[in-house]
Amino acid sequence: MAAYMIVTARIEDRDRFISGYGQAAAALVAQFGGKYVLRGPGVELLEGSFGDGASMVISEWPDRAAARAFWTSPDYAEVKKLRAGIADCQVLLIEAPRING
């Protein structure tokens, strides 16, 4: 069953974030079998308290185990350090059965 990782990020230095963390994370996402469904700035918050004006990234994974393998890998632990101090992130993981209709 496919899984989706949903990241909402308030980014302080967008150029530094994209050129460092963004490029390195993208390579690992592909290496671990994920693919991006959406990447972009300008989230409009309709309800809640986190995310207005933030960036959103949604990646699709073959299953929850593949997404977790990426998230807990030593390689990603190193890449994640590249966003320290320049982004405040909220990360969610959910399995989503196919909806036929």
Side-chain angles (χ1 to χ4, degrees):
M1 174 177 324
Y4 294 86
M5 190 176 293
I6 304 162
V7 180
T8 307
R10 288 188 207 140
I11 301 170
E12 303 276 330
D13 184 337
R14 188 163 184 76
D15 291 336
R16 190 169 143 213
F17 182 88
I18 291 171
S19 66
Y21 172 82
Q23 288 182 3
L28 282 179
V29 165
Q31 179 183 325
F32 279 86
K35 66 179 181 180
Y36 289 112
V37 176
L38 178 144
R39 289 189 290 186
V43 168
E44 179 183 357
L45 182 66
L46 299 178
E47 185 174 338
S49 60
F50 185 88
D52 196 47
S55 294
M56 175 77 61
V57 175
I58 301 173
S59 54
E60 181 179 3
W61 302 84
D63 52 34
R64 186 182 296 257
R68 283 207 156 275
F70 158 79
W71 186 257
T72 61
S73 72
D75 290 336
Y76 183 66
E78 287 301 310
V79 167
K80 194 173 174 181
K81 292 176 185 177
L82 297 172
R83 72 177 198 208
I86 60 171
D88 181 20
C89 299
Q90 174 178 276
V91 182
L92 306 167
L93 179 61
I94 187 168
E95 283 186 323
R98 286 197 176 263
I99 299 173
N100 297 323

